[in-house]
């Protein structure tokens, strides 16, 4: 089975670095520059230091009513919460964006382009306590400069990298609608489909011809399950994953373009 859509590289348009996942899917990801990562890190460190100062002030104020052991326990627990809990929780909830990364337009993703998961955010936070806070950032600086994609120790441990979120992209290559699914897609509810899932499906469809047969089947089935869980109703029985995913993407784009003001390019 083949789907008549062939991906064309966008590296020239975006200045991206193509990454090849373990499943042989090429993803166009632009690794964040060292300077922007450094600024984002400084912003996060300022936030964490401010939280530590606030915590210390509250602990000293409460210390008059608590015994020294309780004060020490609260102080230690609060410090761990700020250094480890803050980045872990923030990046997990926001899908890879801390306050500093939001300010600089950055996001943490898996090396395969997938959204950052809790265990990855936790691994990065734990490594950061050593490579950033305990060594004043020296280890993180050296490793990032030696890594082609600017990854620090925490990224290697977690299997992640920091990428730039593109703004003002060039026009994306359109995914054509399979004619036999146009009627079904027109009535489908797609509002719950996440941008991350849609992006993964798009990469799969556009690069379908480049994939090995086993990867086509295994990855197509997995992506189809993810998309089906976020839309309704399900596609007609027996619909191959590439056609199902293409129909969803084409309809999603059609609705987006229909919602644009007439004077804006489509």
């Amino acid at each position: 089975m083949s789907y008549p859509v062939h991906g064309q590289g966008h590296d020239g348009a975006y200045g991206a670095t193509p990454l090849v996942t373990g499943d042989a899917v090429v993803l166009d990801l632009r690794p964040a520059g060292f300077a922007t990562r450094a600024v984002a890190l400084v912003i996060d460190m300022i936030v964490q230091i401010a939280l530590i100062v606030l915590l210390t002030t509250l602990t000293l104020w409460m210390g008059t009513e608590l015994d020294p052991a309780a004060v020490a326990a609260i102080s230690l627990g609060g410090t761990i919460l700020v250094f480890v809990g803050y980045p872990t929780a923030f990046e997990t909830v926001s899908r890879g964006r801390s306050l500093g990364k939001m300010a600089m337009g950055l996001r943490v993703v898996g090396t395969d382009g997938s959204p950052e998961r809790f265990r990855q955010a936790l691994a990065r936070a734990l490594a950061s306590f050593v490579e950033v806070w305990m060594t004043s950032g020296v280890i993180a600086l050296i490793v990032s400069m030696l890594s082609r994609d600017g990854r620090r120790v925490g990224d290697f441990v977690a299997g992640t990298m920091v990428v730039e979120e593109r703004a003002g992209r060039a026009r994306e290559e359109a995914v054509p609608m399979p004619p036999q699914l146009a009627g079904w897609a027109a009535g489908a509810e797609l509002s719950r489909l996440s941008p991350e899932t849609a992006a993964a499906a798009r990469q799969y469809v556009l690069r379908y011809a480049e994939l090995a047969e086993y990867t086509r089947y295994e990855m197509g089935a997995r992506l189809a399950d993810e998309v089906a869980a976020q839309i309704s109703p399900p596609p007609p029985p027996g619909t191959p994953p590439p056609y199902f995913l293409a129909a969803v993407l084409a309809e999603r784009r059609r609705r987006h373009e229909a919602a644009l003001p007439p004077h804006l390019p489509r």
Side-chain angles (χ1 to χ4, degrees):
M1 174 182 62
S2 62
Y3 186 73
V5 177
H6 301 280
Q8 296 176 6
H10 301 292
D11 299 348
Y14 301 145
T17 298
L19 300 179
V20 182
T21 73
D23 295 313
V25 178
V26 180
L27 302 177
D28 296 324
L29 300 178
R30 179 185 295 173
F34 176 78
T36 53
R37 285 195 64 173
V39 173
L41 178 60
V42 169
I43 293 174
D44 286 327
M45 292 179 71
I46 291 175
V47 172
Q48 289 172 285
I49 291 173
L51 291 174
I52 289 293
V53 171
L54 177 61
L55 175 65
T56 302
T57 301
L58 291 175
T59 302
L60 292 175
W61 177 72
M62 295 171 57
T64 57
E65 302 178 3
L66 299 175
D67 61 84
V71 172
I74 293 174
S75 179
L76 177 61
T79 300
I80 295 175
L81 185 64
V82 171
F83 284 140
V84 179
Y86 159 76
T88 301
F90 221 104
E91 291 186 5
T92 300
V93 173
S94 63
R95 308 298 287 273
R97 302 171 71 199
S98 63
L99 287 175
K101 292 180 180 66
M102 287 182 183
M104 300 306 296
L106 307 179
R107 184 185 293 272
V108 180
V109 299
T111 52
D112 61 352
S114 61
E116 184 184 25
R117 297 177 174 83
F118 169 77
R119 60 177 178 77
Q120 293 174 311
L122 178 61
R124 296 183 80 253
L126 291 172
S128 177
F129 185 75
V130 176
E131 65 174 324
V132 175
W133 293 101
M134 294 184 64
T135 65
S136 301
V138 174
I139 294 179
L141 172 64
I142 294 175
V143 175
S144 295
M145 293 182 67
L146 294 176
S147 170
R148 184 191 65 177
D149 298 321
R151 301 168 68 194
R152 61 177 177 84
V153 174
D155 291 314
F156 285 104
V157 172
T160 59
M161 64 183 297
V162 180
V163 299
E164 296 180 7
E165 293 191 299
R166 306 185 186 100
R169 296 185 178 187
R171 180 181 174 90
E172 291 184 339
E173 182 183 358
V175 175
M177 171 68 72
Q180 68 272 32
L181 295 177
W184 166 82
E189 171 55 52
L190 308 179
S191 61
R192 292 175 51 245
L193 182 63
S194 71
E196 293 83 7
T197 302
R202 177 180 169 79
Q203 292 290 340
Y204 169 79
V205 171
L206 291 180
R207 286 155 175 79
Y208 181 85
E210 304 170 12
L211 304 178
E213 184 174 354
Y214 171 78
T215 302
R216 290 178 181 177
Y217 174 80
E218 189 275 336
M219 180 168 287
R222 176 170 57 83
L223 286 172
D225 287 343
E226 291 183 16
V227 172
Q230 299 178 34
I231 70 168
S232 63
T239 301
Y243 288 88
F244 165 49
L245 297 174
V248 171
L249 294 171
E251 178 63 20
R252 183 172 180 266
R253 182 183 181 90
R254 185 193 69 78
R255 295 181 190 182
H256 172 72
E257 292 182 345
L260 293 175
H263 64 279
L264 291 181
R266 285 166 164 75

